[in-house]
Amino acid sequence: MKFAIISAGEGSRLSQEGVQLPKPLVQVNGCAMIDRLIHIFAANGADEVVVIINNEVPLTKQHLAELERTSEIPLKVVVKTTPSSMHSFYELSPYLKDDRFCLTTVDTIFREDEFARFIEAFKTSDKDGMMAVTDYVDDEKPLYIGTDDRLDITGFYDTAMPDTKYISGGIYCLTPKAIDTLEYCMRHGMSRMRNFQRQLVADGLRLEAYPFSKILDVDHASDIVKAEEFLNRKD
């Protein structure tokens, strides 16, 4: 199984708030966020990790170049500035067409034990995709996920609906079928990951929601403290 990291954003909000490091290198509990993800993926049996970073930050390029040489698992780095996360996903897609894969953004914070159970569930699932979800809402523009009683996903919404107990956690486990949908989205000038996810439903792919207790994004300086407090709690 392959794993992929979208890490091509500018991290402008963090820099405006005084965080000097580029987002992938921001440390949570003393570990750069991108290093943390790669270590977690290795622990969950990754055959390869593919990362996209933008072409604007030399420090990140230097760090990833070193990781390519020293990583415990095969690591492929794509350097390209893109206009959206969906475009970044498209740049990664040639490396993901031949196997099941897990995709996330570099600033996604979750508990490792929950992630391991999520990956194992996907490996044994017959669904076309499994999406990490949470009922913890601390996002400026959450993507609400409609589900039925079996946690099969029925829709993706910008506002809460009667069947939306959860929001997207931004971790996507998918089969190569999803690449066909991604290519359709690109051909039709679509953007944003949430529109890609809506198209997955429109194309009839069978998606399942997998609940996590909490998933955080590090968009602001204050989120670093939140992330460390969350990961350090023993409950």
Side-chain angles (χ1 to χ4, degrees):
M1 183 172 168
K2 295 185 177 181
F3 291 75
I5 304 171
I6 295 174
S7 187
E10 297 178 357
S12 56
R13 285 174 291 189
L14 285 168
S15 62
Q16 289 168 5
E17 295 171 5
V19 177
Q20 300 300 313
L21 289 170
K23 181 181 275 194
L25 306 186
V26 168
Q27 295 199 349
V28 173
N29 283 338
C31 182
M33 289 195 291
I34 197 161
D35 293 3
R36 177 178 184 267
L37 285 179
I38 292 169
H39 292 321
I40 292 171
F41 295 163
N44 283 276
D47 297 315
E48 183 180 39
V49 177
V50 189
V51 182
I52 182 168
I53 61 174
N54 68 42
N55 201 30
E56 315 299 326
V57 186
L59 190 60
T60 302
K61 286 195 283 186
Q62 180 182 353
H63 183 82
L64 268 292
E66 179 62 25
L67 278 184
E68 278 188 288
R69 292 192 294 269
T70 62
S71 175
E72 57 201 295
I73 52 175
L75 180 65
K76 172 66 179 177
V77 179
V78 177
V79 181
K80 187 168 184 178
T81 301
T82 62
S84 75
S85 292
M86 198 184 83
H87 287 78
S88 293
F89 179 22
Y90 182 72
E91 296 298 328
L92 294 173
S93 64
Y95 307 98
L96 304 174
K97 289 183 173 183
D98 60 349
D99 197 2
R100 290 180 167 223
F101 61 91
C102 178
L103 171 75
T104 189
T105 53
V106 73
D107 63 338
T108 305
I109 303 295
F110 48 81
R111 284 185 169 155
E112 295 181 37
D113 58 339
E114 290 186 306
F115 183 79
R117 291 192 291 270
F118 170 59
I119 295 301
E120 285 305 311
F122 178 62
K123 287 178 178 178
T124 60
S125 172
D126 64 353
K127 299 293 175 65
D128 299 313
M130 187 172 285
M131 309 301 208
V133 301
T134 179
D135 59 7
Y136 174 78
V137 182
D138 185 29
D139 195 299
E140 294 164 355
K141 295 180 180 178
L143 177 63
Y144 294 89
I145 295 184
T147 58
D148 63 17
D149 292 340
R150 297 174 299 179
L151 290 182
D152 291 332
I153 294 175
T154 56
F156 297 90
Y157 309 99
D158 291 329
T159 57
M161 305 287 282
D163 62 341
T164 54
K165 178 181 179 182
Y166 300 106
I167 65 167
S168 172
I171 312 172
Y172 321 101
C173 280
L174 296 165
T175 65
K177 280 186 180 182
I179 303 299
D180 294 334
T181 295
L182 176 63
E183 291 174 348
Y184 173 91
C185 291
M186 294 296 292
R187 287 196 305 270
H188 288 79
M190 299 166 67
S191 63
R192 304 191 72 192
M193 284 296 290
R194 61 183 57 197
N195 291 325
F196 159 71
Q197 292 175 81
R198 291 179 178 120
Q199 192 61 44
L200 290 174
V201 174
D203 286 351
L205 273 69
R206 298 172 304 133
L207 308 175
E208 182 178 342
Y210 187 96
F212 280 56
S213 62
K214 185 184 289 188
I215 300 173
L216 306 175
D217 291 334
V218 177
D219 291 320
H220 299 278
S222 60
D223 293 334
I224 300 170
V225 176
K226 289 181 184 178
E228 291 179 340
E229 290 176 347
F230 166 56
L231 293 175
N232 293 335
R233 280 206 307 268
K234 302 302 182 183
D235 56 343

